[in-house]
Amino acid sequence: MRVVLENLLGNACKFTSKRASACIEFGKTHCNGSSAYFVRDNGAGFDPAYANRLFGAFQRLHGTSEFPGTGIGLATVQRIIHRHGGKIGPKGQSKGAVFYFTL
C-alpha cells in the first residue's frame, strides 16, 4: 500500500506543480454501500474520454516535456490494488483528478 500511496500522492504533487495554490486530499468515502479511499487534486487533470488509457503501461496523457515520468506508475498502482482484491477508478476534468480505490 506504501507504493500505491507514493504513486498516487506523487502524481498529485507532480500534476499540481504548476498551480499557484495546490490542493491535494487523501480521504475515505462511502460508495454503493462500501468504503472507498481517494486521492484528489486540483492539478492538470485529464480528458475523461482517455481515462481507459491511464492504467496502461507507458501510456501518458501529458508529454514528458510538460510533466516528467515513465508512464508505469498507475499501471503499478492498478496491479497492486487488484492483487488486494480491490478496484481503482479515475475521475478527471481540466482542473484536477480523483482516483478512488477499494480494498
Side-chain angles (χ1 to χ4, degrees):
M1 291 315 303
R2 178 181 54 82
V3 172
V4 167
L5 291 175
E6 283 176 354
N7 273 282
L8 292 177
L9 293 170
N11 278 355
C13 289
K14 175 172 45 177
F15 290 107
T16 59
S17 66
K18 296 182 181 183
R19 294 269 186 224
S21 181
C23 180
I24 299 170
E25 299 174 79
F26 170 70
K28 180 179 173 183
T29 188
H30 296 283
C31 183
N32 298 327
S34 0
S35 293
Y37 301 92
F38 65 87
V39 173
R40 176 180 322 164
D41 67 62
N42 66 339
F46 61 90
D47 184 339
Y50 299 105
N52 62 332
R53 291 183 46 201
L54 288 173
F55 298 105
F58 307 111
Q59 296 293 310
R60 297 180 48 90
L61 300 184
H62 299 278
T64 55
S65 61
E66 189 177 9
F67 295 102
T70 60
I72 61 169
L74 289 177
T76 301
V77 166
Q78 183 183 53
R79 188 171 181 174
I80 292 168
I81 294 295
H82 287 172
R83 289 255 173 127
H84 285 276
K87 296 179 182 179
I88 185 164
K91 287 193 178 179
Q93 54 191 6
S94 62
K95 294 184 181 177
V98 184
F99 287 85
Y100 293 96
F101 64 94
T102 62
L103 298 171

